[in-house]
Amino acid sequence: MATAATASATAATRFTLLAGAGLRSRITRLPTAVRFQRQRGLTTTALLKTADLQPKEQGKPETLDYRVFLVDGGGRKVSPWHDVPLRAGDGVFHFVVEIPKESSAKMEVATDEAFTPIKQDTKKGNLRYYPYNINWNYGLLPQTWEDPTSANSEVEGAFGDNDPVDVVEIGERRANVGDVLKVKPLAALAMIDEGELDWKIVAISLDDPKASLVNDVDDVEKHFPGTLTAIRDWFRDYKIPDGKPANKFGLGNKPASKEYALKVIQETNESWEKLVKRNIPAGELSLA
């Protein structure tokens, strides 16, 4: 324990020399090496072993108090949004599951709570459910953010929705809330939800039996025929039973290529970096 503490202090001192005394107060309140590394390197979280991450439940499912936290190998809480590294190497990315396939509870990262746990969304104090099951694992790309102050000239000038980028994972296995999977992006859908741009990155888990067969948008249609249309139609129509209009899609109402999906991921990662550096006001978002 003394060795770890000494190493942590040495790292903090080195960072202070580089960044200036004005950041001392930020360094002293960072409780773990994981969080220090994230604040220092932004997209580098080498001290966090994603294989050791485990979901930890608090409260009972389908209640207002229910939360799913991520904890590291030492049992310490980490943020699924800020602390899980985006990149897993060789064009592979980490994906945090919020909603398992064939379920309807609208689970999402609580972006305004410390450690950003996963909780069930609410409306007027009531738990929210989709009108029907979602047919794919659904969740977020960590260390991404759709900037609500930035208009996208390629997608009808729509502004970001102030959330991490969403992932629709099309593999056969039903994942669990809080699972961290390695995925490769295949396509991107530019959903416009009440005027806000809400990207859907279509991806597949590396452990899926068909993962080696699909590497771009055309492969999805070949090996998962009808899936891209089904995803688009599901997200287009899911609010209609609540009396709301159908969602729209930019980019010609078609899924964009893997190359475009990678562009979206890169741009939203850069937006996240600006957010956690506080170059953009965070508002009610938690950066802890």
Side-chain angles (χ1 to χ4, degrees):
M1 295 297 293
T3 301
T6 302
S8 177
T10 301
T13 301
R14 188 182 306 117
F15 177 73
T16 303
L17 291 173
L18 291 171
L23 294 180
R24 286 193 185 109
S25 61
R26 289 176 61 187
I27 295 170
T28 55
R29 67 183 176 84
L30 296 169
T32 71
V34 171
R35 307 188 72 71
F36 169 77
Q37 182 73 5
R38 188 252 297 175
Q39 289 285 343
R40 181 180 180 225
L42 297 175
T43 55
T44 302
T45 45
L47 296 180
L48 178 61
K49 295 181 179 179
T50 54
D52 293 339
L53 294 178
Q54 296 291 332
K56 183 177 181 179
E57 294 181 303
Q58 177 179 296
K60 295 182 179 181
E62 299 187 79
T63 67
L64 294 174
D65 296 327
Y66 181 63
R67 299 289 185 275
V68 178
F69 289 89
L70 278 188
V71 296
D72 65 12
R76 295 166 295 195
K77 293 177 180 177
V78 298
S79 167
W81 181 18
H82 299 308
D83 292 326
V84 176
L86 171 62
R87 295 172 178 85
D90 298 325
V92 177
F93 298 84
H94 288 115
F95 157 57
V96 181
V97 179
E98 295 170 305
I99 305 174
K101 67 188 299 184
E102 305 307 333
S103 65
S104 63
K106 193 175 186 301
M107 307 296 293
E108 61 180 27
V109 161
T111 58
D112 59 347
E113 296 182 13
F115 296 104
T116 62
I118 299 169
K119 68 172 186 178
Q120 190 166 349
D121 191 23
T122 60
K123 183 176 182 180
K124 297 181 179 179
N126 297 314
L127 297 173
R128 292 186 65 189
Y129 295 84
Y130 291 122
Y132 29 71
N133 284 351
I134 189 166
N135 306 125
W136 312 274
N137 294 312
Y138 186 58
L140 69 120
L141 283 176
Q143 299 185 343
T144 62
W145 180 57
E146 298 183 53
D147 184 355
T149 69
S150 177
N152 191 308
S153 60
E154 297 178 1
V155 188
E156 301 183 18
F159 290 82
D161 71 348
N162 202 31
D163 281 325
V165 170
D166 296 326
V167 173
V168 184
E169 194 276 314
I170 62 174
E172 67 178 23
R173 181 173 74 89
R174 184 181 190 270
N176 300 307
V177 177
D179 281 354
V180 179
L181 306 180
K182 293 181 179 180
V183 299
K184 56 180 178 181
L186 305 169
L189 285 161
M191 190 176 92
I192 303 173
D193 182 357
E194 297 182 13
E196 295 180 338
L197 180 55
D198 186 2
W199 287 106
K200 308 297 179 189
I201 301 296
V202 179
I204 190 166
S205 176
L206 291 191
D207 63 9
D208 190 82
K210 292 185 177 181
S212 63
L213 302 176
V214 287
N215 294 290
D216 211 326
V217 61
D218 293 337
D219 297 329
V220 179
E221 191 57 38
K222 180 179 179 180
H223 296 283
F224 294 83
T227 295
L228 292 171
T229 298
I231 292 171
R232 184 197 62 196
D233 291 354
W234 195 98
F235 283 100
R236 182 192 64 197
D237 298 340
Y238 80 90
K239 290 187 175 182
I240 293 177
D242 292 332
K244 294 185 177 180
N247 288 318
K248 299 178 181 180
F249 288 86
L251 304 180
N253 203 40
K254 297 179 180 179
S257 66
K258 176 178 182 174
E259 181 180 7
Y260 200 98
L262 293 174
K263 172 176 174 279
V264 170
I265 294 170
Q266 177 64 29
E267 290 175 351
T268 54
N269 176 238
E270 291 171 358
S271 294
W272 172 83
E273 288 188 355
K274 293 175 184 177
L275 175 69
V276 295
K277 284 180 177 179
R278 291 174 169 77
N279 292 337
I280 299 175
E284 297 182 358
L285 298 176
S286 172
L287 303 183

